[in-house]
Amino acid sequence: MSKSAVLAYHQRTKHTFKAFAKGPETLDWDDQPDPFRIFEGCPIFTLPPPGREPELSWQQFKSATCAPKAMTRDNLGLMLELSFGLSAWKEFGPDRWALRCNPSSGNLHPSEAYIISQHDEVLPVGVYHYQVYAHHLEQRATIETPTLPGEMYVALSSVHWREAWKYGERAFRYCQHDAGHALGALSYAASLLGWQVELVNEISDVQLASMLGLDKAEQFVKREEETPDWLCRIRYQTDDVLAGSVEQLFTALENAVWQGKAQSLKAYHMYHWKVIDEIAQVTHKPAGIKSPYNSLEGVDAIASHNANQQPLAALIRNRRSAQHFSRGAEPMPLARFKTMINATREYQRAPLNSWRWPPAIHLFLFIHKVEGLAPGLYCLPRSQHGLDVLKQKLDSAFLWQAEADVDGLYALHLNDLRNIAKSLSCYQAIASDSAFSLGMLAEFDAALDESVWHYRRLFWESGLVGQVLYLEAEAAGFRGTGIGCFFDDEVHKVLGIQDTSLQSLYHFTIGQPLQDDRVQSLPAYAHLTQS
Ligand SMILES: Cc1cc2nc3c(=O)[nH]c(=O)nc-3n(C[C@H](O)[C@H](O)[C@H](O)COP(=O)(O)O)c2cc1C
């Protein structure tokens, strides 16, 4: 029953050549939900001023493990800033909008981040909401004593309404992409401090909602509630082993004292997309998931290096989505292409080492302008199993010609496919004017047959891979953009997919960006020093 409900949601939120998935007929920009959540009535805990520039370069990050830094309020604040904080303000005519270190579909930012502290010297034991605009923590709950002394956790939730306001029924998918990007962003920021992010798989959504106080309906404006996404343990010592279970933390938090109330997002909710509430309910992560997969098992590490000496922090703060690409740019050097593509299979390095499941997302690429590769459709399975499934399910007429120069890449069909790439991605020129664009095919049925909550997991994985591509593109001197708008079944037709064993969940594009000089860029946190 519930798998059919997921399939029904997935089907009805597909864009087709004939019609887009159901969304608002008109957009009232004055009704845009506030992207910054504030809990009033909570004690505030300050973080050190944003903008610190740790030394670690991209090359060092890629070639060695950074010695772990101490868990301090300063370092915790830096990690939060580089994961979810502001990266710049943009101004065009009368419009002004903030960008963040993590990307978001439509820049709507449904995600909210929380800290659960069990480390009294850093933050009194309790639950904290990260207030992005002010870059400080709002203490939502206190607990008397730590249950897992010294531990530090980061959690994420989504306000679906922020995304649904603009994108209607398809918005649930975008919230899941964003959660995957946010996991990647957190993992990169943590590794800058020599810390590692461990996704806690064992906690159910009901438990996580309770741990973050999201189940206290009276503390949220109706329809502006938050839905729990993920919980991560921050490993900040090389030899640390969890002395207990996260379930104990859940039990301890049942006795927490809660304070504060979420301010209204100042939206008047002209539409209500019921189907989003329904799919969120159906895909709730259940209790009792006991055997987390160790991401280091069974997959070969593929090392890719890039000699970029820029500080990792600068690359994170400068990451942007390209709005336009230069059609006349020189072909992308093959070495750069290889580095980016290989990074999507570096399972033992941040951010992919935060992942707890075997790779279930595989890439198909429209290569337009890459040195040494003929233009055409290519495939990069991210595991041996993926290769077997794809060979069985994709169009039997495909070439499957192994590319000698790029390990694991197969040419499927050689031709200039720029028009097709553009048409499939909702006619967006960013998919055709780049050096290459790609789609992410999920092993869909198999994941849902295991548990329907994996619907969300598959989108998270695609967002995580997207975050790898964003940072790799930036480090290689190029720029990427996530593409959530594409015509699902038209993509499947091009690939010869005839059932739901494989589904394309996300697209991405990388090339030489064109700068729009009319858009002014302003510093991220100038408002903190001015006030
Ligand atoms: C899940 C997702 C889907 C996106 N889809 C599109 C898209 O279809 N077209 C596009 O131009 N940009 C798309 N973007 C890029 C966002 O618009 C961009 O991340 C946002 O405006 C914030 O800008 P920034 O990435 O420069 O911080 C997408 C981003 C994400 C994370």
Side-chain angles (χ1 to χ4, degrees):
M1 158 60 198
S2 47
K3 182 179 173 192
S4 59
V6 174
L7 289 175
Y9 170 79
H10 190 63
Q11 196 59 33
R12 73 183 275 160
T13 54
K14 286 178 171 175
H15 290 326
T16 70
F17 279 153
K18 286 199 190 122
F20 286 98
K22 232 171 167 185
E25 275 150 32
T26 54
L27 267 190
D28 177 355
W29 288 95
D30 291 336
D31 186 30
Q32 179 174 355
D34 192 333
F36 301 116
R37 165 142 279 172
I38 296 173
F39 283 93
E40 48 197 10
C42 292
I44 304 285
F45 284 73
T46 55
L47 294 170
R52 223 173 91 202
E53 285 277 358
E55 293 286 289
L56 191 82
S57 71
W58 176 260
Q59 187 189 22
Q60 287 168 322
F61 159 71
K62 292 289 279 193
S63 54
T65 317
C66 161
K69 301 270 188 298
M71 172 55 78
T72 61
R73 180 94 64 94
D74 278 22
N75 286 336
L76 185 72
L78 180 67
M79 182 185 74
L80 288 172
E81 180 207 340
L82 292 175
S83 310
F84 315 113
L86 300 184
S87 56
W89 285 87
K90 293 279 167 182
E91 229 173 53
F92 180 58
D95 297 321
R96 192 165 190 271
W97 64 98
L99 297 180
R100 304 192 193 186
C101 293
N102 57 320
S104 170
S105 182
N107 200 30
L108 297 168
H109 290 285
S111 310
E112 295 293 336
Y114 289 84
I115 293 285
I116 302 178
S117 171
Q118 294 279 290
H119 195 322
D120 241 335
E121 288 159 35
V122 178
L123 277 173
V125 176
V127 181
Y128 298 79
H129 169 248
Y130 178 51
Q131 215 277 59
V132 175
Y133 181 83
H135 183 60
H136 65 212
L137 292 166
E138 299 163 334
Q139 189 186 48
R140 286 278 289 131
T142 54
I143 333 165
E144 291 223 327
T145 46
T147 312
L148 302 171
E151 294 286 319
M152 197 60 83
Y153 292 86
V154 177
L156 198 87
S157 71
S158 299
V159 182
H160 292 151
W161 172 246
R162 283 216 188 98
E163 201 71 31
W165 163 77
K166 182 170 178 196
Y167 293 118
E169 294 192 349
R170 197 170 161 102
F172 181 76
R173 297 174 175 216
Y174 297 156
C175 291
Q176 309 311 316
H177 287 126
D178 279 14
H181 277 287
L183 176 65
L186 175 67
S187 182
Y188 276 116
S191 57
L192 190 69
L193 295 153
W195 302 347
Q196 200 189 317
V197 165
E198 207 177 274
L199 195 60
V200 179
N201 189 28
E202 299 81 347
I203 289 291
S204 73
D205 275 355
V206 170
Q207 287 172 319
L208 186 54
S210 155
M211 290 165 85
L212 303 178
L214 311 182
D215 56 353
K216 310 213 160 5
E218 70 286 359
Q219 295 173 5
F220 294 86
V221 173
K222 199 164 169 351
R223 299 199 187 152
E224 296 179 2
E225 299 90 352
E226 296 172 30
T227 306
D229 290 321
W230 47 248
L231 174 71
C232 287
R233 174 173 178 244
I234 304 298
R235 285 180 61 169
Y236 60 90
Q237 285 163 351
T238 37
D239 56 349
D240 74 342
V241 178
L242 183 60
S245 87
V246 182
E247 302 250 347
Q248 287 171 262
L249 184 58
F250 160 68
T251 310
L253 278 166
E254 285 187 310
N255 300 318
V257 178
W258 291 88
Q259 52 204 351
K261 198 169 185 282
Q263 273 185 5
S264 162
L265 299 179
K266 300 184 211 89
Y268 47 80
H269 304 277
M270 196 150 82
Y271 292 88
H272 180 204
W273 305 106
K274 269 208 227 130
V275 70
I276 290 195
D277 304 339
E278 286 160 15
I279 187 68
Q281 192 56 42
V282 171
T283 56
H284 247 211
K285 186 162 170 241
I289 298 178
K290 287 290 178 213
S291 50
Y293 169 79
N294 174 355
S295 66
L296 304 187
E297 277 170 18
V299 273
D300 295 332
I302 295 178
S304 70
H305 294 288
N306 175 326
N308 191 324
Q309 297 293 341
Q310 274 193 75
L312 174 56
L315 284 169
I316 290 175
R317 289 193 181 102
N318 291 332
R319 182 211 59 78
R320 299 280 181 274
S321 292
Q323 315 274 313
H324 306 278
F325 290 105
S326 162
R327 291 194 76 162
E330 291 293 308
M332 176 182 282
L334 184 64
R336 291 272 189 263
F337 172 79
K338 261 169 78 166
T339 302
M340 286 181 226
I341 284 304
N342 282 346
T344 66
R345 294 175 293 168
E346 285 182 319
Y347 302 109
Q348 300 188 21
R349 183 183 301 289
L352 296 184
N353 62 359
S354 61
W355 197 241
R356 304 292 288 272
W357 297 274
I361 292 286
H362 309 288
L363 311 184
F364 61 92
L365 302 93
F366 294 105
I367 294 186
H368 308 312
K369 267 180 134 182
V370 176
E371 197 184 68
L373 293 177
L377 177 64
Y378 289 74
C379 183
L380 186 102
R382 292 176 61 243
S383 68
Q384 179 60 44
H385 177 69
L387 174 62
D388 297 341
V389 174
L390 267 65
K391 274 196 165 163
Q392 198 193 338
K393 291 290 177 183
L394 299 192
D395 193 331
S396 57
F398 283 155
L399 301 171
W400 287 103
Q401 184 182 298
E403 272 305 324
D405 287 333
V406 188
D407 188 30
L409 183 73
Y410 297 85
L412 301 183
H413 174 80
L414 299 177
N415 211 337
D416 178 349
L417 298 176
R418 280 178 295 185
N419 283 338
I420 291 186
K422 179 177 171 178
S423 307
L424 293 178
S425 284
C426 298
Y427 305 107
Q428 299 185 81
I430 49 172
S432 56
D433 293 351
S434 55
F436 68 100
S437 58
L438 60 87
M440 302 193 197
L441 277 182
E443 293 175 36
F444 196 75
D445 275 340
L448 295 193
D449 286 340
E450 233 177 89
S451 172
V452 287
W453 96 263
H454 288 165
Y455 184 59
R456 291 162 60 213
R457 189 202 97 191
L458 292 173
F459 280 100
W460 293 0
E461 187 181 348
S462 69
L464 181 60
V465 172
Q467 194 63 16
V468 171
L469 292 170
Y470 262 122
L471 263 274
E472 289 285 339
E474 211 68 43
F478 291 85
R479 192 150 268 182
T481 306
I483 302 182
C485 189
F486 54 88
F487 299 115
D488 305 63
D489 282 341
E490 301 302 335
V491 174
H492 300 143
K493 252 187 233 163
V494 166
L495 297 171
I497 296 167
Q498 291 171 358
D499 54 25
T500 49
S501 52
L502 295 169
Q503 293 283 282
S504 183
L505 298 188
Y506 192 23
H507 286 193
F508 207 90
T509 183
I510 297 181
Q512 198 60 256
L514 284 178
Q515 194 87 5
D516 186 345
D517 292 329
R518 296 168 307 166
V519 180
Q520 252 205 307
S521 200
L522 304 157
Y525 279 108
H527 56 279
L528 295 188
T529 44
Q530 281 155 9
S531 55

